[in-house]
Amino acid sequence: MIYFIQSPHDKRIKIGMSENPNLRIRDLQTGSSSKESHVPLLVLPGGRKRESELHSVFKKFRSHGEWFNPVPEILDYIKQETQEEFKYCRVCGKLYLSTPDKIDIQAHSKAHKIIRIGGYPYSIREFMKEMAWAFLANETPTVEISTQLSKDDIKRVIVYALWSRAKESGLQDYDFDDYILDYMDFLDAKLSGNNHDFKEISKKIEKRWEKF
Ligand SMILES: [Zn+2]
């Protein structure tokens, strides 16, 4: 079987081959230094021959070994093969199948639980460390960040910090997803400059989360 999996760190995609793809994905996870799991994107029938064909089709996007950059060409191929849409989750920042099976749902909910208790994704931790180092090193810091973060990643840095405060004030775990999504909307509206949206979401937040 051929498998496509995505690294949670740099979002690169590995195209590999295994007799038992589930086991192989698990192996990679245990071999990885962080506890964050690779996201399985696609499993296809086939052996070495098909694997090398795919490596050659996507060779210009190769990063190293069996790892490829997450370019639209590869993501489109996966989408076409699975006939599945990937849904981007704004709470955790990962891609998930829009019709997940039981294992996907469990893995996804575990990923949220880890964030909820302060186990932030790698890119966010790196960002926080680099910012802090820059402030320690310079009185007026010029911050150069080597971690590649999307706008949404940076918004999550803020929203996860707000969540920690809310948690300290007694907000319950089951409110985690709603809380994160509301504050992501809040930041969207604030940055967009759309006054109407901003007022709407501010009202909603005041009603739901003010006391935290
Ligand atoms: Zn998620």
Side-chain angles (χ1 to χ4, degrees):
M1 306 288 269
I2 312 289
Y3 62 85
F4 287 59
I5 50 166
Q6 188 169 43
S7 156
H9 297 172
D10 52 18
K11 313 276 190 242
R12 287 195 182 119
I13 294 167
K14 179 177 163 121
I15 305 174
M17 202 211 77
S18 168
E19 296 293 311
N20 181 342
N22 283 337
L23 209 64
R24 180 73 194 119
I25 290 163
R26 225 173 293 139
D27 281 349
L28 273 172
Q29 282 167 20
T30 26
S32 135
S33 58
S34 86
K35 296 258 180 331
E36 288 165 88
S37 31
H38 289 82
V39 183
L41 298 179
L42 173 66
V43 176
L44 294 171
R48 284 282 166 233
K49 191 164 169 260
R50 180 130 197 228
E51 185 195 26
S52 12
E53 278 166 15
L54 286 164
H55 285 175
S56 132
V57 169
F58 296 125
K59 66 169 181 275
K60 64 176 170 190
F61 311 119
R62 191 193 291 266
S63 150
H64 58 277
E66 297 189 319
W67 290 92
F68 294 80
N69 294 319
V71 292
E73 284 84 348
I74 298 182
L75 293 172
D76 283 351
Y77 175 82
I78 294 168
K79 194 165 140 186
Q80 189 191 315
E81 284 296 320
T82 46
Q83 311 245 300
E84 280 263 27
E85 293 283 342
F86 282 100
K87 248 169 72 181
Y88 165 66
C89 172
R90 291 196 89 190
V91 176
C92 64
K94 290 182 183 168
L95 292 173
Y96 282 93
L97 289 173
S98 55
T99 51
D101 66 16
K102 212 174 123 198
I103 293 173
D104 296 330
I105 294 170
Q106 281 171 352
H108 195 176
S109 108
K110 194 177 157 206
H112 284 212
K113 186 183 166 199
I114 290 169
I115 298 167
R116 207 168 67 212
I117 58 176
Y120 300 143
Y122 176 82
S123 55
I124 288 184
R125 296 197 307 267
E126 287 304 299
F127 177 82
M128 290 162 72
K129 278 195 304 197
E130 285 188 36
M131 289 286 281
W133 276 118
F135 274 79
L136 286 174
N138 307 289
E139 247 171 73
T140 317
T142 36
V143 184
E144 264 182 52
I145 300 294
S146 64
T147 330
Q148 290 202 346
L149 288 122
S150 66
K151 264 264 164 69
D152 264 17
D153 282 328
I154 298 171
K155 286 177 194 164
R156 273 190 289 274
V157 174
I158 298 170
V159 178
Y160 291 169
L162 291 172
W163 163 256
S164 296
R165 186 198 63 193
K167 184 94 185 90
E168 198 184 20
S169 324
L171 189 56
Q172 295 299 306
D173 284 349
Y174 53 72
D175 281 322
F176 176 70
D177 285 16
D178 286 348
Y179 183 91
I180 300 293
L181 292 172
D182 277 357
Y183 273 97
M184 290 297 275
D185 287 347
F186 175 80
L187 290 180
D188 287 345
K190 197 173 166 69
L191 293 167
S192 77
N194 182 323
N195 218 13
H196 174 76
D197 285 2
F198 184 66
K199 269 190 196 146
E200 285 296 304
I201 184 72
S202 300
K203 235 191 290 170
K204 187 176 171 190
I205 280 190
E206 205 172 304
K207 216 163 106 194
R208 282 190 90 176
W209 313 117
E210 176 88 296
K211 55 180 184 293
F212 303 101

